[in-house]
Amino acid sequence: MTAEAGLPDTLRDLPACTPDPVELADLELLLAGAYRPLTGFLGSFDTAMVIAGGRLSDGTPWPVPVTLTVPKELTGQERVVLQDPEGVPLAVLTVAEAWQDPTTQAWRLAGPLEGLRAPAHGPFHGLRRRPDELDPVEGPLLAVATREPLHRKQLGQLRQVAERLGAQVLVLPLLGGEHDESLVRALLGVRKELPDGARIVPVPLPARGTGAEQEERDVRLRAHVAAAYGATHLLAEAELDGTAIPLVVPEPWAYDADVEVWRPVARIEPDHVQAELTRERLHELLDAGEPVPDWFTPPAVAAELALARPPKRSRGITVFFTGLSGSGKSTIARGLSDALIERGGRTVTLLDGDVVRRMLSAGLTFSRADRDLNIRRIGFVAAEITRHGGTAICAPIAPYAATRAEVRRMVSVVGDFILVHVATPLEECERRDRKGLYAKARAGQIPEFTGISDPYEEPDDADLTLDTSRMAPDEAVAQVVDLLVAGGWVRPA
């Protein structure tokens, strides 16, 4: 597309591109100077060097690839406007290199950036600061860069380390996760328990993957960003050499059940050490709507945890049926909708049949691209229903595993996702053929028809598999309801 709004006349005719969420965060940090010495997105050689050895081609340590993916048609451009999801232009990229990633085959652009305006997207933007907007600190500055709230244990360790270093404290909430607003509110809620003068500055820095190597790169990147904000030390869970600033690992702490305080393990009698609340147990408490114990975390943090992960009985959920045409998924979906409405306690939206075809899918063909687009549209609406605590019931064919996975990701960010595979055999589906679709497909009248001239990729991640050639519709509905009751999403009859 061509960039227009909010641009100088000399830039109005330039093509525009909207980076993905990670790239948009990178763009903001590049423009803010938090990624120094980087001044733009990396080219192919620098990227390969970073992946292979954690250094730029000139030898400068740098932990992660900072790249920009674009449509192929932009690879011939000399300059490209980068904009936020609302179309607000943020920067102009002068293209130094267009290259194709050998692993993903994605096209990328590299080159320096010229900032047009500060990004204004995302929560708590009023708290964000560029590194050069913070007043300099005399003496040590201890940074805490976190994607998790600070519980009583971490707060105690932080105070101890800051006192030992004689350091002021800078808390950097790392945005880009599932519940950014709750994270920042939880940290603001414990501000009185932080060392005097502690500052809280949200920073857009999404996680880039999982695994030990990725976690190490993430810590190194946190250290780079903290250093850019003036920190001299970074609080960390484990030691790591060669970081931009020294990592400080606090001594082990535990809850002393005898005197009912958190303190260093070395000062607690062994039989007085109370087992820490595990992540799994914490999630169990939240899922059941039970209170998080005060000895574990301050009330302000507990309240935010409950908002971010509400009890299953009131949490939004999408029940996504997939299967061949004629498999019975629509019948089961309608039956499930009726059953949940009869039970009460949940708002239910059925995304199937004529409403979807008329309101979401009008004008789409049976091509793979259009069928994928249809599923993404359904997934988007389902995710919005789930975000607001509702129950979305979807029953498209959804033949492709990658598209189903995309919908699962969209929904899982805001609630829960249940995949039901209605695995009725093709022969039975074709025998039913009430609309004559299979007959038309066999005759070549319907191209790319799932199960005949186009594949159906059976899911290997279904939460429930049903075969309506072996059970009545009421029995199938009952199995889905039983799954939802057992999982805690629906109250028992």
Side-chain angles (χ1 to χ4, degrees):
M1 62 177 292
T2 299
E4 294 180 1
L7 283 173
D9 292 340
T10 55
L11 303 177
R12 287 185 183 275
D13 294 330
L14 293 182
C17 175
T18 302
D20 70 23
V22 172
E23 295 167 344
L24 200 61
D26 287 340
L27 174 62
E28 182 169 343
L29 294 175
L30 285 166
L31 296 177
Y35 271 4
R36 60 187 186 197
L38 271 58
T39 58
F41 290 99
L42 299 181
S44 56
F45 188 46
D46 273 324
T47 299
M49 293 291 289
V50 167
I51 293 173
R55 292 182 178 274
L56 301 172
S57 56
D58 63 3
T60 302
W62 188 260
V64 299
V66 179
T67 58
L68 175 69
T69 303
V70 298
K72 184 178 180 180
E73 55 265 26
L74 290 183
T75 57
Q77 302 294 327
E78 294 183 356
R79 291 196 297 173
V80 175
V81 173
L82 304 182
Q83 59 190 19
D84 71 11
E86 285 73 43
V88 177
L90 302 176
V92 176
L93 172 71
T94 299
V95 179
E97 180 187 3
W99 57 285
Q100 190 172 23
D101 188 299
T103 302
T104 65
Q105 302 304 307
W107 287 96
R108 307 193 191 281
L109 296 182
L113 294 162
E114 174 192 351
L116 298 174
R117 58 175 51 80
H121 57 278
F124 289 102
H125 190 78
L127 293 178
R128 299 195 201 182
R129 296 289 185 272
R130 295 170 53 102
D132 58 12
E133 292 176 332
L134 294 183
D135 293 332
V137 172
E138 293 185 7
L141 178 62
L142 174 64
V144 183
T146 180
R147 298 189 176 90
E148 301 288 340
L150 299 179
H151 302 297
R152 294 199 186 279
K153 172 184 174 180
Q154 290 80 29
L155 288 166
Q157 290 175 316
L158 172 59
R159 288 192 296 266
Q160 183 190 44
V161 172
E163 183 178 354
R164 174 165 59 84
L165 294 175
Q168 296 190 49
V169 170
L170 173 65
V171 180
L172 301 175
L174 304 181
L175 308 183
E178 297 178 5
H179 302 288
D180 289 343
E181 300 90 341
S182 288
L183 170 62
V184 178
R185 286 196 300 263
L187 293 172
L188 291 173
V190 296
R191 177 175 284 183
K192 291 182 179 179
E193 301 193 40
L194 296 171
D196 291 342
R199 289 176 290 182
I200 299 175
V201 180
V203 173
L205 197 71
R208 297 169 184 261
T210 57
E213 181 181 354
Q214 196 60 51
E215 289 176 5
E216 179 181 312
R217 289 177 181 268
D218 184 64
V219 171
R220 293 184 184 280
L221 184 59
R222 295 188 199 194
H224 270 281
V225 172
Y229 276 90
T232 58
H233 300 78
L234 177 67
L235 197 69
E237 295 181 357
E239 295 180 356
L240 188 63
D241 294 331
T243 52
I245 53 177
L247 304 185
V248 182
V249 180
E251 67 173 305
W253 275 46
Y255 185 70
D256 188 335
D258 183 45
V259 294
E260 299 182 338
V261 295
W262 285 90
R263 56 181 180 171
V265 172
R267 297 171 55 189
I268 307 175
E269 295 293 331
D271 59 343
H272 293 166
V273 173
Q274 181 167 309
E276 190 169 352
L277 200 66
T278 64
R279 176 182 289 268
E280 292 74 17
R281 179 56 182 156
L282 174 61
H283 288 175
E284 287 176 0
L285 292 174
L286 295 170
D287 288 347
E290 298 179 12
V292 179
D294 184 73
W295 64 264
F296 174 73
T297 199
V301 177
E304 290 303 331
L305 292 174
L307 286 174
R309 191 182 179 97
K312 280 191 172 183
R313 62 179 178 270
S314 59
R315 189 183 308 166
I317 184 174
T318 290
V319 182
F320 194 94
F321 293 89
T322 176
L324 296 170
S325 177
S327 62
K329 59 188 180 299
S330 293
T331 301
I332 303 171
R334 287 193 297 272
L336 176 64
S337 175
D338 292 342
L340 296 182
I341 291 172
E342 290 170 5
R343 284 176 178 247
R346 275 194 168 272
T347 58
V348 180
T349 302
L350 179 62
L351 296 174
D352 187 40
D354 291 338
V355 172
V356 168
R357 284 188 288 272
R358 184 175 67 253
M359 302 303 295
L360 293 179
S361 306
L364 297 184
T365 68
F366 286 99
S367 69
R368 173 161 186 159
D370 276 4
R371 281 183 289 170
D372 270 353
L373 177 57
N374 178 49
I375 302 305
R376 290 191 186 96
R377 288 177 177 177
I378 292 172
F380 174 79
V381 175
E384 289 304 302
I385 293 168
T386 301
R387 182 193 305 276
H388 297 288
T391 302
I393 302 174
C394 315
I397 293 174
Y400 308 124
T403 314
R404 292 194 300 262
E406 186 176 343
V407 173
R408 181 187 285 274
R409 286 192 295 271
M410 279 194 287
V411 172
S412 296
V413 168
V414 295
D416 291 337
F417 181 89
I418 298 294
L419 181 65
V420 179
H421 178 205
V422 185
T424 306
L426 174 62
E427 296 76 14
E428 175 63 16
C429 296
E430 194 165 0
R431 185 190 67 76
R432 296 171 181 176
D433 202 16
R434 290 183 300 173
K435 299 179 181 179
L437 298 177
Y438 282 98
K440 292 180 180 179
R442 293 286 186 189
Q445 298 176 24
I446 303 178
E448 297 183 284
F449 189 83
T450 301
I452 303 299
S453 53
D454 201 65
Y456 176 81
E457 300 172 358
E458 294 198 359
D460 58 8
D461 59 344
D463 298 283
L464 179 65
T465 300
L466 304 169
D467 180 352
T468 62
S469 68
R470 300 181 178 182
M471 65 181 68
D474 287 349
E475 182 182 354
V477 171
Q479 287 199 25
V480 182
V481 172
D482 287 346
L483 175 66
L484 297 178
V485 170
W489 294 285
V490 172
R491 63 188 183 187

